[in-house]
Amino acid sequence: MPSSAVKVLDKNGQEITSVGFDRFGFNSEVPIDDLRSLYLRSHYSSAKPNDELNPDDEGPHHAQFTKGLSPYQSKSIYYPEHNSISYTTLARFPPVKLLAPSQRKRVLVTGGAGFVGSHLVDRLMLLGHDVTVLDNFFTGSRTTVSHWVGHPNFELVRHDVVEPFMIECDQIYHLACPASPPHYQFNAVKTVKTSFMGTLNMLGLAKRTKARFLISSTSEVYGDPEVHPQPEDYWGHVNPIGDRACYDEGKRVAETLTYGYHRQDGVDVRVARIFNTYGPRMNPYDGRVVSNFIVQALKGEDLTVYGDGTQTRSFQYIHDLVDGLICLMNSDETRPVNIGNGDEFTIGDFAELVREIVEKVQAEDGDKPSRQVQVVYKALPNDDPQKRRPDTTRAKESLKWQPRWTVRMGLEEMVRYYKAKMAEGSL
Ligand code: NAD
Ligand code: UDP
Ligand code: UDP
């Protein structure tokens, strides 16, 4: 595999060439370029009027990431003069590990077409496991996993988790649930149903199949916390009837159900409390702060800070989260575990950082921004937590897991991803 055109240094200044590790009998390591070739791949090549079609040409914005991996890229062709696209299936799937049947897991990923799910799916597929994605495409999209459709190890099922579902599997990553405030508040009753009935069904499935069950819970179970940073044994400070309650209380009851099945029925459970995570494939319009700020800055629009910008969040890059989820799933830790990055920012400072990084990447690429973007202030949404930072002592001690990506490195990669999407016209 080629070495990457973009060098990434971790928190200790070491170059990141691969993610994952061999721990708890499960090797999750893959080269970072193999993953990049999936999320920074070109979705099509452009045909100029009267041009010979050359589907092997990669767009210039993607080529620097996907060099050498073009046989695994989609060869769809875009016709600018008609604004139409001719889809082609992949000529060849990316190489996946050939595992002995004893090592190969049958893994169900609910919500696998979403932001977090699709990155987990890429990792599990490259590692050689059998992966089934179950998703109703409410906030996720088939395009996030389309590069695996047709692969013998992969299955994509449109299904709503509030309905029962039968499958035979060894591990269940239960991620299905809208995660951004505008999305989970769009239909609050459905969010509660998804959290309760969806989790009940997936736990029933785990009980029947004796599969190990991991739920993606959230830092929102701590609400607007009175303890800082938040350790797992903090019970939280949640408004049960506020705008965020459908999500916060939904996840709290989902955890209650999970430990109910664990105690009553012996279901083997794992609970990941995920803190704010960002990365490529985040829906650019789902209203979360990282995607909002980057897209605004790239489009030359002002960055919208809600409230006075003194509230804080701690941002984790997607590969660290996937490492943590896989590590937790394969460990013996049945208590809840915070998975997040301790680098805490006020939202006001974070807006400045995003603006600076977007300007840096634009300067490196020789782009001329249409205007200097400003930071503007909007009303603070109800019940917006004032501060949030994970206490990750448990993950460190129990899983030997710690985040490796600096916020700056993750943001630079995400800016390049959105830039490439803009250049393609799909953002
Ligand atoms: P996302 O919205 O991108 O993905 C959620 C996926 O679940 C989507 O593909 C959606 O279509 C699917 N889904 C929603 N309701 C469903 C239903 N009823 N049946 C089947 N599929 C359904 O969000 P994400 O950021 O990838 O979040 C994934 C999980 O991680 C969620 O459970 C979320 O609560 C949790 N989480 C994420 C973050 C974060 O910062 N990204 C933080 C804390 C917790
Ligand atoms: N369930 C499911 N798939 C399975 C097994 C169960 O979707 O393979 C659902 C089942 O329909 C029920 C829920 O999971 O709604 C809880 O199952 P459990 O066996 O605990 O409860 P029961 O069916 O006894 O009410
Ligand atoms: N936020 C903001 N501008 C935006 C979107 C969000 O200032 O365009 C703020 C939001 O009010 C919150 C923080 O950024 O304080 C994180 O918001 P997000 O929706 O990403 O996640 P959550 O509030 O669930 O942590």
Side-chain angles (χ1 to χ4, degrees):
M1 293 293 158
S3 71
S4 174
V6 180
K7 202 170 169 174
V8 174
L9 302 181
D10 71 10
K11 291 188 171 195
N12 301 318
Q14 301 293 313
E15 188 176 358
I16 296 180
T17 54
S18 69
V19 291
F21 23 63
D22 195 350
R23 202 166 292 161
F24 307 122
F26 191 100
N27 187 353
S28 63
E29 197 173 359
V30 302
I32 184 71
D33 282 335
D34 288 11
L35 288 166
R36 283 199 178 125
S37 75
L38 301 176
Y39 58 79
L40 292 172
R41 76 200 153 103
S42 53
H43 293 84
Y44 50 74
S45 39
S46 281
K48 294 194 189 69
N50 307 321
D51 245 16
E52 277 286 298
L53 296 183
N54 183 2
D56 286 329
D57 280 352
E58 291 190 60
H61 291 276
H62 288 295
Q64 60 178 318
F65 306 111
T66 58
K67 243 169 83 194
L69 294 168
S70 65
Y72 315 119
Q73 309 297 312
S74 161
K75 295 290 178 274
S76 300
I77 296 163
Y78 177 65
Y79 300 90
E81 71 274 29
H82 307 123
N83 188 30
S84 61
I85 184 159
S86 163
Y87 286 106
T88 318
T89 53
L90 279 176
R92 187 185 288 274
F93 289 102
V96 300
K97 266 196 191 147
L98 203 52
L99 291 181
S102 59
Q103 291 180 299
R104 198 147 162 234
K105 304 264 186 231
R106 297 164 304 171
V107 189
L108 174 66
V109 183
T110 77
F115 157 54
V116 175
S118 64
H119 286 279
L120 178 63
V121 166
D122 280 351
R123 187 82 73 88
L124 294 169
M125 283 298 296
L126 291 174
L127 292 168
H129 298 285
D130 246 4
V131 179
T132 301
V133 164
L134 192 155
D135 204 293
N136 71 349
F137 305 122
F138 171 46
T139 53
S141 156
R142 267 173 301 186
T143 57
T144 61
V145 289
S146 57
H147 47 284
W148 295 117
V149 171
H151 193 289
N153 294 359
F154 182 77
E155 196 174 352
L156 177 61
V157 183
R158 180 194 287 263
H159 182 84
D160 195 308
V161 285
V162 305
E163 302 294 341
F165 183 71
M166 304 290 271
I167 191 174
E168 303 308 314
C169 57
D170 306 309
Q171 295 187 336
I172 303 168
Y173 287 90
H174 177 43
L175 272 51
C177 183
S180 84
H183 280 156
Y184 67 64
Q185 289 168 19
F186 171 74
N187 184 343
V189 174
K190 178 64 198 266
T191 301
V192 181
K193 267 177 90 175
T194 296
S195 289
F196 180 73
M197 294 170 66
T199 306
L200 179 80
N201 285 331
M202 293 306 104
L203 283 161
L205 173 65
K207 179 173 126 187
R208 182 181 61 76
T209 58
K210 301 190 170 40
R212 188 173 283 179
F213 173 92
L214 180 149
I215 182 161
S216 57
S217 186
T218 168
S219 50
E220 289 281 324
V221 299
Y222 304 123
D224 192 3
E226 300 141 307
V227 170
H228 194 70
Q230 295 82 52
E232 289 86 350
D233 54 13
Y234 174 52
W235 290 355
H237 180 227
V238 174
N239 175 355
I241 57 169
D243 292 343
R244 289 180 172 248
C246 58
Y247 184 71
D248 299 10
E249 297 289 17
K251 290 287 188 182
R252 286 168 69 98
V253 80
E255 287 198 15
T256 309
L257 264 178
T258 302
Y259 287 108
Y261 271 84
H262 180 59
R263 292 188 193 112
Q264 283 176 228
D265 297 299
V267 174
D268 193 12
V269 302
R270 305 288 181 269
V271 174
R273 290 190 182 148
I274 303 172
F275 284 64
N276 295 64
T277 305
Y278 68 99
R281 299 216 189 103
M282 235 176 147
N283 178 334
Y285 301 111
D286 80 1
R288 284 184 271 189
V289 70
V290 185
S291 42
N292 267 14
F293 283 174
I294 297 179
V295 172
Q296 286 164 342
L298 283 174
K299 290 189 165 176
E301 295 166 4
D302 292 334
L303 273 54
T304 52
V305 168
Y306 301 159
D308 61 6
T310 55
Q311 72 272 35
T312 72
R313 294 292 186 275
S314 312
F315 297 100
Q316 147 174 259
Y317 198 50
I318 183 65
H319 298 311
D320 282 330
L321 172 60
V322 172
D323 282 352
L325 291 177
I326 293 180
C327 209
L328 176 60
M329 173 63 104
N330 294 289
S331 75
D332 290 332
E333 182 57 83
T334 55
R335 297 172 299 173
V337 181
N338 289 339
I339 312 259
N341 188 327
D343 298 343
E344 184 180 2
F345 295 82
T346 68
I347 295 300
D349 287 348
F350 191 67
E352 295 297 345
L353 179 67
V354 170
R355 180 165 66 173
E356 179 209 315
I357 289 176
V358 169
E359 283 172 359
K360 172 180 176 271
V361 173
Q362 285 173 328
E364 278 171 13
D365 292 356
D367 300 344
K368 297 228 166 2
S370 49
R371 62 185 279 268
Q372 163 98 48
V373 298
Q374 307 297 321
V375 173
V376 295
Y377 294 86
K378 302 255 171 166
L380 187 68
N382 288 335
D383 295 338
D384 200 283
Q386 261 308 303
K387 49 189 178 303
R388 184 182 291 154
R389 170 155 60 95
D391 178 334
T392 51
T393 312
R394 182 173 291 173
K396 198 170 162 188
E397 288 177 359
S398 187
L399 308 181
K400 312 273 176 282
W401 172 91
Q402 275 177 275
R404 293 172 64 204
W405 288 69
T406 64
V407 171
R408 182 174 279 276
M409 284 298 167
L411 283 175
E412 279 192 25
E413 191 168 279
M414 190 158 164
V415 169
R416 292 189 182 282
Y417 167 80
Y418 280 146
K419 258 193 77 189
K421 299 278 284 179
M422 274 178 87
E424 277 191 350
S426 52
L427 188 133

